[in-house]
Amino acid sequence: MKLVLFWLLLIALDSIESKRIKTKVVILGAGATGISAAKSLSEANMSDFIIVDAQSFIGGRVQHQAFGNSQVELGANWIYGKGDNPIYGMATQHGLKTTPSDKNNVAYFDDFGMLEDQEKGIHTSDEFESVKVKLVDYAEKRMKRQQVDLSSRSALSLLGWKPNTPLKAAVEYFNIDWEFSEPAEMCSLDYATGTVDSVTGTYPFGNEFVVDERGFNHILVQELKTFLHLNDDRLMLNTLITEVIYNDQNVTVITSNGHVIEAEYAICTFSLGVLQSDSVQFSPVFPEWKRESLLSFHMTTYTKIFLLFKQKFWGDWQHGGYYTVWQNLNAPGYLFKPASSGDNILMVTTTDTESQRIERMTKAQVGNEIMRVLHKMFPSATIEPPVDILIPRWHQHNLFRGSYSNWPIGASKKHHLNMRAPLGNLWFAGEATSADYYGFLHGGWLEGKSVANSILGCITTKCPVYEKHEIVTGCDSANFNSGNSNPRFLGQFSY
Ligand SMILES: Cc1cc2nc3c(=O)[nH]c(=O)nc-3n(C[C@H](O)[C@H](O)[C@H](O)COP(=O)(O)OP(=O)(O)OC[C@H]3O[C@@H](n4cnc5c(N)ncnc54)[C@H](O)[C@@H]3O)c2cc1C
């Protein structure tokens, strides 16, 4: 017995023994950006790197959880566009199960139940679609005239759109808040609602909803396995980073279990929310131009609340709602094993301050509120309270502090360049640093690749120079250059 205890003690001591580790590149975060950066380094035969993440799994904000007999995605769920979208390419390559997401398959409800005249809803949605096209033209015209950015609310009003009926407000919510996770008052015209992305998407052929029981992060795990074993020492999961000390020569990373990682370069892929918070101590403190840039963008909160019912009391629509947006996970193709699971799942989304309010409530309190809305939506149905509720709390989560970034009114192109610019040998990448695809998984993936190539440049030849502005002045429109556009923006700028 004594012998067993002795060995157990030794094993325990070994597992908490702090280590001093040296590497060329340390990648902070094993989300899409971190995996992409590591893959690009590997492809260039640079294997001297370490990936560190506090979570026990790969994927960051791409994560799933069992709910009923199904798996639900708590974070990223849609692949936005196909064509050259790298995420779509990986999904195809790794056989990820998806189903088409049809934003036109909507049922409209009001305070008295499903609208009898569904055409009224369709007509209002069509009306808003044409306003969205006008927003893009309007943004382009204003940029050409070197006019200042506007809030999307101001632009919508100037274009004659007024959400002065509950139906119009719901349609606007579905198109703006549900996508950008913030209301029109907050969203920039030039860099959010007035971009091509808001109308057609920047990749073609429609969106796919992931319904794979292995989870959306399966594709990231498969990508990682192409160059690293999951038990390789270069993958340090369950490791919380508490401090990052950087200068022009190297970066030292300190973890909560006492490890010290000394690297020549670091790629920080923490979310914008984490960088805005004090979760990790950076030494020296970021200079003011960097802090101004990080604080100028918004880390929003998008909450998918999952409700499991004994019985299904709703129809076969994909999206519906009056108060917020509801999704029917029992719609054809949506649950990964619909017939055998026996699950009846509705998903309702909240955003922004409403999400933050909900995160402060208990499951039971949220359930009661939701039941009141459902009784109004389905007045003649007998609805038993849900048997289970799942509420991801992204805003409160210390590893994310929100769900994804948004470009608000008041943040300029120069702020974005500053957010992306390295500090000494500490480099930054993530969905938020992608001008074209901020907020999206593919934005993170492309940024990971880009930052890895920059560091490879530093190692092999010369570091690329990233534009940065110690003082941000003026409006971006003055920099308008019609020959310099990129996929998301018609004329705003490109890197
Ligand atoms: C609710 C929700 C819905 C979304 N829907 C979609 C969608 O449908 N389609 C889409 O394309 N995108 C969607 N997104 C956005 C998408 O998930 C992100 O853009 C993408 O996952 C970001 O990847 P990343 O690697 O840049 O960041 P992250 O995934 O945040 O990776 C950063 C990593 O850093 C780690 N980390 C943070 N702090 C520390 C620390 N102190 N120590 C150690 N590790 C740390 C984290 O654990 C994390 O793994 C959604 C996001 C959310 C939350």
Side-chain angles (χ1 to χ4, degrees), residues 1-19:
M1 180 65 178
K2 268 188 189 158
L3 190 69
V4 173
L5 275 179
F6 177 68
W7 279 111
L8 282 180
L9 190 65
L10 274 190
I11 291 164
L13 283 176
D14 185 53
S15 65
I16 54 165
E17 190 189 309
S18 56
K19 295 182 203 155

Side-chain angles (χ1 to χ4, degrees), residues 15 33 41 73 76 114 118 169 307 310 334 343 370 414 493:
S15 65
T33 308
L41 293 177
E73 296 292 338
M114 194 184 268
Q118 287 288 306
L307 304 148
K310 264 197 200 138
Y334 264 44
D343 290 338
I370 284 176
K414 289 175 192 152
F493 69 94

Side-chain angles (χ1 to χ4, degrees), residues 246 248 286-293 412-428 464-473 479 495:
Y246 63 94
D248 287 344
F286 291 162
E288 189 165 338
W289 61 265
K290 189 72 174 180
R291 282 187 288 135
E292 178 180 324
S293 70
S412 75
K413 162 198 165 181
K414 289 175 192 152
H415 282 128
H416 198 267
L417 288 162
N418 283 353
M419 179 163 60
R420 208 168 176 258
L423 290 171
N425 282 12
L426 174 63
W427 293 68
F428 298 86
V465 177
Y466 276 39
E467 188 180 333
K468 78 165 202 299
H469 302 264
E470 301 234 336
I471 294 179
V472 175
T473 53
N479 299 325
Y495 290 139

Side-chain angles (χ1 to χ4, degrees), residues 72 209 306 314 318 327-331 333-335 345-347:
V72 288
F209 190 79
F306 300 91
W314 57 91
Q318 283 190 5
Q327 265 173 279
N328 167 20
L329 294 197
N330 285 75
Y334 264 44
L335 284 181
I345 302 180
L346 278 180
M347 177 172 100

Side-chain angles (χ1 to χ4, degrees), residues 328-397:
N328 167 20
L329 294 197
N330 285 75
Y334 264 44
L335 284 181
F336 65 86
K337 44 180 180 181
S340 56
S341 74
D343 290 338
N344 299 302
I345 302 180
L346 278 180
M347 177 172 100
V348 59
T349 310
T350 58
T351 50
D352 193 40
T353 48
E354 188 62 8
S355 286
Q356 291 174 24
R357 183 183 73 85
I358 280 165
E359 286 197 18
R360 292 191 294 271
M361 293 163 67
T362 63
K363 269 207 251 184
Q365 287 169 329
V366 177
N368 287 340
E369 272 195 7
I370 284 176
M371 282 302 286
R372 282 201 288 276
V373 177
L374 283 174
H375 282 307
K376 282 187 176 177
M377 288 171 70
F378 301 94
S380 51
T382 309
I383 310 174
E384 297 282 328
V387 288
D388 200 1
I389 304 180
L390 172 58
I391 309 172
R393 295 174 197 261
W394 291 102
H395 180 71
Q396 291 177 359
H397 201 307

